[in-house]
Amino acid sequence: MEQTLSLLKILFKEQRGNLVSIIEDFQIYLNDKEILRLLRGGNSTKARNREVPQDLLHEIKEMKEIAIDLIKPRGIYNIFNSRNLVPRFLFEKSERTVLAVCTIGENLEKRCSEFIKRGKLSNGVILDAIASHAAEETAEYVNQKILEEIVQETKGKEITYRFSPGYCKWSLEEGQKLIFNFLQTASIEVSLTKSMMMRPVKSVSFAINTGLEVDKELGIKNCETCDLINCAYRKVK
Amino acid sequence: MDLYTKSKEAILNGNTSLAEEIVKKAILENYDINALIDTLSEAIREAGDLFEEGEFFLPELMRSAEAMKAAMGILTPTLSQEKESRFIGKVVIGTIEGDIHDIGKTLVASMLSAEGFEVYDLGADVPVATFIDKAVEVDAHLICVSALLTTTMVGQKKLIDTLNERNIREKFKVLLGGAPVSKRWVEEIGADGTADNAISAVKLAKKLMVL
Ligand code: B12
């Protein structure tokens, strides 16, 4: 499971006079436990002590082998003066804000719909869970890399957890418009649809606030503090 | 274990080849096909419950759905052989846009065709315009619209509204179905009826043809 990290590339590109960073060519880890969690049904609190069936574990292994070649994780970010960002209530205590978008690409998604179309529903939903997990891991990785990159300029500053449009009272529409206006996401091949959804679907957009005294309540530390109680990815029931 | 129980187990275990084998045997040995279909439907609902309860993983429910579809694929042709085909009327049927639940819809479609309806099954995730265009094209008597999600039921209303807008509402009887559909919903949006299983769906369809 613990595959080696491959060479990490951070490219700095000149875009409209802005220095943006692209993080790519890295590898993420797929964890069976997390895939199983995404595939577990129900939101009852009922005891779930049934053992995971062997054939399911086997199928997950098979699907992971397919998925691994189709996942192309990458991200783009830049750091902005928080004063220029709206809605103000989210950014007023912050000095500099990182905006980022990352994705696993569209190949896995395509393979997944192929399976579903062919009636291979079980394979399809497993691939979908793997893709969701991979997108989350990508966001986590990119987040960590960004923190390493900005360590100099954030010395002595506070840093929030990442927070995303659609969460933490940040409206999906307002948040996506802001992030996609500020970042040239075409360079990692992510675009925004009219309904504010990202293409490829398995993409994550987020912000991180930094400053002398930031609002630490922002950001998703864990599911318990999130108000999206019906979220499919919620870890606490 | 009798054949019905075995068939139920096969669906719950998501065992497609076993499910196929069992229904083939049932056909050969002249089992009551309607009773068998009832059992299979019960099994897929139970698989759904097990998933809701957190007992089943999603791929297990999916395998049950795969097994169910395979079994129905074998049973359906025998349904239409049973009766001598006497033409009753034309039906356009499908699951509304945004919704991929097609097991119940396919069941209703097979029963209707078994009873002598000429059935145009448009499949699942069908846009309102496709329903209407097909109904106009084949000069259908009935339009049957299945919706299993509370969020896609609005599509049923959209269909009625669109028929009204195009001034062709009177040309067709519209039947609605799917677990969340109630008599009240049917009245509210001005459809012609609903039924909560395939047998009553056929009865209702026949009744409406007489009118
Ligand atoms: C099997 C199943 C699936 C399968 C579908 C496989 C397939 N190819 O159809 C899979 C696993 C893929 C699935 C997916 C989803 N499902 Co589902 N699924 C079910 C389940 C367990 C059984 C449905 C079924 O096949 N029943 C057996 C058939 C024979 O019965 P039936 O469909 O009711 O049809 C009968 C009658 O309603 C009637 N009838 C049906 N159509 C018509 C039409 C007319 C005109 C007439 C007169 C009568 C009629 O006659 C039929 C035969 O007797 C139900 C739970 C349940 N108990 O209903 C949930 C259920 C319908 N699903 C649900 C949900 C939420 C989903 C998903 C959105 C989950 C997700 N988050 O991804 C997705 C759907 C994605 C999408 N866009 O559509 C919810 C809907 C909640 C709601 N009210 O909105 C349910 C109720 C489960 C739940 N309790 O939460 N699902």
Side-chain angles (χ1 to χ4, degrees):
Chain A
M1 198 178 300
E2 299 297 303
Q3 285 131 331
T4 45
L5 267 186
S6 74
L7 41 136
L8 163 78
K9 227 178 10 191
I10 300 186
L11 295 172
F12 292 97
K13 283 193 185 159
E14 197 75 40
Q15 272 182 355
R16 279 212 226 133
N18 261 341
L19 203 59
V20 274
S21 316
I22 291 176
I23 302 176
E24 60 185 0
D25 283 337
F26 57 91
Q27 222 167 358
I28 44 156
Y29 308 124
L30 298 175
N31 181 333
D32 280 5
K33 240 177 141 178
E34 193 52 26
I35 296 166
L36 282 166
R37 193 184 63 75
L38 290 170
L39 290 171
R40 178 73 90 169
N43 33 28
S44 68
T45 44
K46 234 171 144 178
R48 297 153 179 178
N49 36 24
R50 182 168 157 254
E51 223 177 285
V52 181
Q54 277 306 316
D55 56 344
L56 178 58
L57 288 174
H58 185 78
E59 198 179 338
I60 290 176
K61 185 164 173 269
E62 235 175 288
M63 290 304 116
K64 276 201 309 196
E65 276 158 20
I66 293 180
I68 206 80
D69 291 331
L70 299 171
I71 296 171
K72 293 276 173 286
R74 53 197 188 249
I76 182 172
Y77 77 92
N78 204 347
I79 187 155
F80 301 92
N81 191 328
S82 309
R83 253 183 312 173
N84 302 330
L85 306 178
V86 284
R88 290 307 303 150
F89 78 91
L90 280 177
F91 302 106
E92 62 193 352
K93 285 187 180 166
S94 169
E95 291 162 24
R96 311 261 296 150
T97 298
V98 173
L99 298 178
V101 173
C102 52
T103 186
I104 63 161
E106 61 171 6
N107 294 343
L108 185 51
E109 190 177 315
K110 279 191 176 150
R111 181 62 61 87
C112 180
S113 12
E114 271 166 36
F115 273 117
I116 306 256
K117 261 197 208 115
R118 279 194 281 132
K120 298 243 164 230
L121 303 177
S122 173
N123 289 342
V125 295
I126 292 175
L127 277 186
D128 183 76
I130 291 175
S132 297
H133 173 44
E136 189 53 38
E137 287 301 300
T138 301
E140 193 54 37
Y141 184 91
V142 169
N143 189 348
Q144 288 312 316
K145 277 294 145 200
I146 293 173
L147 294 185
E148 285 167 27
E149 286 302 308
I150 62 175
V151 72
Q152 281 305 326
E153 67 178 285
T154 51
K155 227 175 214 150
K157 301 275 165 79
E158 289 186 344
I159 297 171
T160 64
Y161 291 91
R162 75 185 126 99
F163 55 101
S164 295
Y167 298 83
C168 302
K169 307 197 171 70
W170 194 7
S171 95
L172 181 71
E173 176 156 4
E174 197 174 8
Q176 294 291 60
K177 275 188 181 156
L178 179 87
I179 295 177
F180 280 78
N181 270 337
F182 276 90
L183 294 175
Q184 272 71 57
T185 54
S187 42
I188 57 161
E189 288 168 55
V190 177
S191 60
L192 199 58
T193 69
K194 274 199 200 103
S195 50
M196 298 296 136
M197 299 308 288
M198 290 176 279
R199 285 276 142 75
V201 175
K202 303 297 177 184
S203 302
V204 178
S205 59
F206 63 85
I208 299 169
N209 280 339
T210 70
L212 273 179
E213 212 179 302
V214 293
D215 186 356
K216 286 286 217 172
E217 288 304 301
L218 281 178
I220 306 175
K221 284 158 275 200
N222 53 50
C223 295
E224 272 150 56
T225 55
C226 177
D227 33 337
L228 288 182
I229 50 170
N230 289 319
C231 172
Y233 304 110
R234 194 172 173 84
K235 295 181 186 178
V236 284
K237 297 290 176 182
Chain B
M1 221 193 278
D2 70 4
L3 184 125
Y4 294 109
T5 319
K6 272 193 201 150
S7 71
K8 192 170 172 183
E9 297 268 291
I11 299 297
L12 279 171
N13 290 329
N15 190 333
T16 300
S17 53
L18 185 61
E20 286 173 338
E21 205 177 290
I22 291 170
V23 297
K24 277 182 194 154
K25 187 166 144 78
I27 294 168
L28 280 177
E29 297 178 6
N30 286 317
Y31 273 82
D32 179 347
I33 299 300
N34 284 330
L36 183 60
I37 291 178
D38 278 349
T39 311
L40 296 175
S41 304
E42 210 178 284
I44 187 70
R45 290 202 184 101
E46 194 172 318
D49 289 344
L50 285 169
F51 174 71
E52 291 307 319
E53 286 160 12
E55 193 66 24
F56 257 23
F57 289 93
L58 186 55
E60 294 179 283
L61 173 58
M62 292 300 172
R63 271 188 239 139
S64 293
E66 287 172 33
M68 174 83 182
K69 283 200 84 163
M72 292 304 299
I74 295 170
L75 289 173
T76 314
T78 65
L79 284 174
S80 12
Q81 277 167 20
E82 267 180 16
K83 304 251 158 43
E84 80 281 19
S85 31
R86 48 199 177 89
F87 174 77
I88 306 184
K90 284 185 198 167
V91 182
V92 165
I93 189 170
T95 302
I96 197 72
E97 55 196 327
D99 202 329
I100 52 93
H101 294 92
D102 62 355
I103 294 172
K105 178 273 304 162
T106 308
L107 203 53
V108 174
S110 343
M111 294 291 210
L112 285 171
S113 110
E115 287 294 320
F117 282 91
E118 193 174 316
V119 176
Y120 298 85
D121 188 342
L122 303 178
D125 193 13
V126 180
V128 164
T130 311
F131 272 104
I132 298 179
D133 293 347
K134 192 71 190 177
V136 170
E137 180 199 320
V138 302
D139 200 14
H141 302 93
L142 298 171
I143 303 180
C144 288
V145 192
S146 192
L148 267 279
L149 297 171
T150 37
T151 47
T152 53
M153 279 167 71
V154 291
Q156 296 177 325
K157 179 174 189 310
K158 189 173 150 200
L159 185 125
I160 303 262
D161 291 347
T162 312
L163 286 173
N164 281 323
E165 277 160 28
R166 290 175 58 175
N167 280 321
I168 47 175
R169 175 67 186 91
E170 301 309 320
K171 285 187 70 167
F172 312 104
K173 298 284 180 203
V174 180
L175 290 193
L176 309 181
V181 173
S182 63
K183 290 233 159 64
R184 219 175 120 198
W185 173 244
V186 169
E187 279 163 26
E188 193 181 316
I189 69 170
D192 297 297
T194 180
D196 56 16
N197 63 61
I199 309 245
S200 355
V202 170
K203 275 193 200 144
L204 180 63
K206 279 178 159 173
K207 199 172 118 199
L208 287 170
M209 287 306 298
V210 176
L211 293 176

